Amino acid sequence: MADDEDVLEVPRELLERFAPKRAADSTELVSGAAFDELFTAFAHTARRLETRTHYDIENERESFAQFLDGEEADLAWFSPWLDTMREQTAAGKTVSRVRVVPPELTDYLRYELHLAESNIAAGEDIRYLDRETAHRLVLPDRDFWLFDSSTLAVLHFTDEGHLLGAEIITDPAVVVEHARWLDAAFHHARPFREFVKEHPPR
């Protein structure tokens, strides 16, 4: 090094969190039946980090509108997912997720809280983490699933929250980093039953 040069060490977490994201159209994404297969092909664990405050899922739009109107929300659209979860958890597999939430829940997050009763009954473990703690833990600001601590599925969305597909990553270094983030998130998150007492959906 020259006399007028210096070394600056940048933590990997900083690069991971704030580096520009690749455009979804330049990344090969898994969707449709291939995406659904991820939730039956895993052997032991499927864990997710959720960071968005709204998701645009076509099948649930009518149910969401019913919830907002104070009506009984029709959850028929939800049955295929719940059936899959019952089958997987009955086979001894673990499905769990941490939802990162702001101090004031959006209408959609309240709707998700309403749905979570069915998720829990089907065998899922859902926990909630406040955004301030997530920031302190330097968690990534994106959604992903981690299957068996070996296959990472980074989810890509439109700005409106419509799922485009999953970017599959098996690079051990990237997988381990995301597993570490999930471990931290689960350690600090609150169980659904505890969280919903203070944040009723309605």
Side-chain angles (χ1 to χ4, degrees):
M1 295 179 57
D3 292 338
D4 60 349
E5 292 181 329
D6 202 351
V7 175
L8 177 64
E9 181 177 352
V10 179
R12 178 171 179 172
E13 291 87 352
L14 185 65
L15 292 175
E16 186 67 40
R17 186 177 180 87
F18 297 108
K21 305 297 188 298
R22 288 178 290 175
D25 57 7
S26 66
T27 302
E28 183 177 351
L29 301 180
V30 169
S31 60
F35 178 74
D36 293 341
E37 187 179 351
L38 293 170
F39 299 95
T40 57
F42 71 98
H44 303 290
T45 61
R47 299 194 294 165
R48 178 173 176 176
L49 183 70
E50 295 183 14
T51 63
R52 299 181 63 91
T53 58
H54 180 82
Y55 298 87
D56 180 22
I57 302 174
E58 184 175 358
N59 290 346
E60 71 177 24
R61 289 174 186 165
E62 182 178 353
S63 175
F64 182 34
Q66 292 169 337
F67 173 81
L68 293 180
D69 289 340
E71 303 173 6
E72 184 67 28
D74 182 359
L75 301 184
W77 68 272
F78 207 18
S79 294
W81 173 263
L82 298 177
D83 289 343
T84 298
M85 292 300 98
R86 291 189 190 96
E87 292 171 1
Q88 300 307 308
T89 56
K93 302 178 185 181
T94 298
V95 181
S96 54
R97 61 179 94 196
V98 170
R99 289 173 171 162
V100 178
V101 294
E104 295 294 327
L105 299 183
T106 63
D107 287 342
Y108 186 86
L109 290 178
R110 291 191 301 106
Y111 174 64
E112 276 195 329
L113 263 177
H114 176 66
L115 296 181
E117 288 282 359
S118 298
N119 292 89
I120 299 296
E124 288 190 65
D125 174 11
I126 300 181
R127 306 183 191 187
Y128 291 80
L129 182 68
D130 64 274
R131 195 171 295 280
E132 181 179 348
T133 301
H135 184 75
R136 178 168 54 82
L137 296 172
V138 199
L139 299 184
D141 189 23
R142 61 176 174 276
D143 284 32
F144 61 87
W145 281 96
L146 182 59
F147 300 95
D148 296 326
S149 295
S150 60
T151 301
L152 177 67
V154 177
L155 305 183
H156 290 257
F157 297 88
T158 64
D159 291 341
E160 294 74 25
H162 179 70
L163 178 64
L164 297 172
E167 177 186 357
I168 304 302
I169 300 172
T170 57
D171 181 327
V174 178
V175 168
V176 166
E177 191 75 350
H178 284 72
R180 184 182 67 79
W181 282 323
L182 278 172
D183 289 343
F186 274 91
H187 178 74
H188 290 86
R190 301 171 64 189
F192 166 75
R193 295 296 179 196
E194 178 183 323
F195 183 81
V196 75
K197 289 179 181 179
E198 298 180 9
H199 303 272
R202 287 176 169 164

